[in-house]
Amino acid sequence: MLELFLRILGIIFPVFAIAACGSVWGRRHRPDMSVVNRLNMEVFAPALVFWALSDKPFDFVLYRDLAVGGIAVVLGSGLLMLPLCRALGINLKTFLPPMMFNNSGNMGIPLALFAFGEQALQAAVVLFIIEMVLHFTVGLYMLDHRTRPLQLLRMPMIQATILGIACSASGIALPAPFANTIKLLGQVSIPLLLFALGVRLLDVNLRDWKLGVFGAIACPAAGVACVLLVRPWLSLDADQFAQLLIFGALPPAVLNVLLAEQYRQEPDRVASVVMLGNLGSLVAIPLTLWFALPR
């Protein structure tokens, strides 16, 4: 019991400590993180994705059911919350996206890395790509009822995914100097994602704290419920099931706030949901790890 507790502490402490460092530093300096975020989304994170997918053979069959489970968690969370939102009179465009699209990048990848090691990176990247693609297709359609499938192909993250899978499938191995360079660039993204998360949460207010508290409970509850509902129909090994369970328990992505601001969809209320959801993950993530990790 004590050994498992210490293991969970070792997993979550670096994740939340780096985000806390970002909050402390950000509160003192109030930096403009737009350039840093752009570098992360267009250089460092794509490098991580490419390296994770191309470094060793990518087994489509191995991750097929995990990918299906990821899709079920994202879309199923929205379906589970839909009748409840209608019954409570909550604006669907405001509340459903944060319940569906979680922090699979900022928090999901570091958690997988600390919990399961570098061998779990491909699975974490698969879930991250699924969440991101759905966010920029289904999520944007929910906000303005228009689709932009070709826009995905212009995203460095998608380009890196396609190139990484292509290299892996074709058996092309990059020369060691190039591979090591890409690996180093990718390793920048993980701490920077967490640090930027801490800085970004400083701008969030708690004006709608009641909705935020409700979201902090509902988001991981809906995600975990979806995992348990689809588990009997998926062929997942113990580590993949644990990763999917953690994916389901992740808090709302900060990107929900940026999109709410862009589409003028009650950004203050969305911000409260995201902020309290991420604070709530201090409880939800350790509890999920307690049940997900092998004894």
Side-chain angles (χ1 to χ4, degrees):
M1 189 75 71
L2 178 60
E3 183 180 351
L4 181 60
F5 172 78
L6 292 175
R7 185 182 175 191
I8 292 172
L9 183 62
I11 292 168
I12 64 171
F13 183 81
V15 173
F16 291 107
I18 295 174
C21 287
S23 294
V24 171
W25 187 83
R27 185 177 296 277
R28 174 176 293 184
H29 299 284
R30 290 293 174 179
D32 180 4
M33 295 291 288
S34 58
V35 175
V36 174
N37 290 330
R38 185 173 180 181
L39 275 171
N40 221 356
M41 296 305 294
E42 296 186 4
V43 179
F44 301 133
L48 176 69
V49 168
F50 176 82
W51 177 77
L53 297 177
S54 64
D55 180 57
K56 54 187 177 182
F58 184 79
D59 191 338
F60 290 92
V61 176
L62 178 64
Y63 297 116
R64 179 190 59 200
D65 282 22
L66 181 67
V68 172
I71 295 170
V73 168
V74 174
L75 301 182
S77 296
L79 291 175
L80 285 179
M81 295 304 302
L82 182 61
L84 186 58
C85 288
R86 285 179 171 167
L88 297 175
I90 301 173
N91 189 309
L92 298 181
K93 288 185 179 182
T94 298
F95 193 71
L96 283 188
M99 297 299 98
M100 297 170 62
F101 306 111
N102 61 29
N103 239 335
S104 58
N106 296 65
M107 194 175 290
I109 291 177
L111 278 172
L113 198 62
F114 290 127
F116 306 104
E118 202 168 275
Q119 68 272 12
L121 192 56
Q122 276 194 348
V125 166
V126 167
L127 292 172
F128 171 49
I129 294 298
I130 285 171
E131 185 274 330
M132 185 182 63
V133 169
L134 289 174
H135 204 163
F136 281 96
T137 52
V138 177
L140 292 186
Y141 183 79
M142 291 170 66
L143 291 174
D144 71 349
H145 298 296
R146 286 186 292 176
T147 57
R148 305 172 184 84
L150 294 179
Q151 180 179 329
L152 288 173
L153 297 177
R154 295 196 292 268
M155 295 176 61
M157 206 80 71
I158 300 300
Q159 294 169 357
T161 300
I162 295 171
L163 288 174
I165 292 176
C167 286
S168 177
S170 62
I172 296 175
L174 293 179
F178 291 102
N180 290 335
T181 300
I182 293 172
K183 180 179 180 180
L184 282 173
L185 284 171
Q187 287 175 338
V188 172
S189 71
I190 294 177
L192 193 57
L193 282 167
L194 291 170
F195 193 88
L197 172 64
V199 176
R200 186 68 183 88
L201 290 177
L202 289 175
D203 297 328
V204 174
N205 67 68
L206 300 178
R207 188 176 305 163
D208 293 288
W209 65 270
K210 292 181 180 178
L211 184 65
V213 170
F214 176 59
I217 298 170
C219 183
V224 169
C226 288
V227 175
L228 298 178
L229 286 172
V230 300
R231 175 69 176 93
W233 288 274
L234 300 177
S235 298
L236 302 173
D237 60 32
D239 285 347
Q240 286 187 346
F241 173 65
Q243 278 193 259
L244 188 60
L245 201 60
I246 294 168
F247 176 76
L250 290 172
V254 178
L255 181 60
N256 288 294
V257 180
L258 304 180
L259 292 177
E261 291 172 350
Q262 180 180 341
Y263 290 97
R264 299 179 182 178
Q265 183 58 49
E266 298 185 297
D268 288 344
R269 303 195 80 193
V270 174
S272 294
V273 172
V274 170
M275 172 65 168
L276 286 170
N278 279 269
L279 289 177
S281 66
L282 285 166
V283 176
I285 294 299
L287 283 176
T288 306
L289 286 169
W290 184 268
F291 290 102
L293 293 177
R295 296 294 187 269

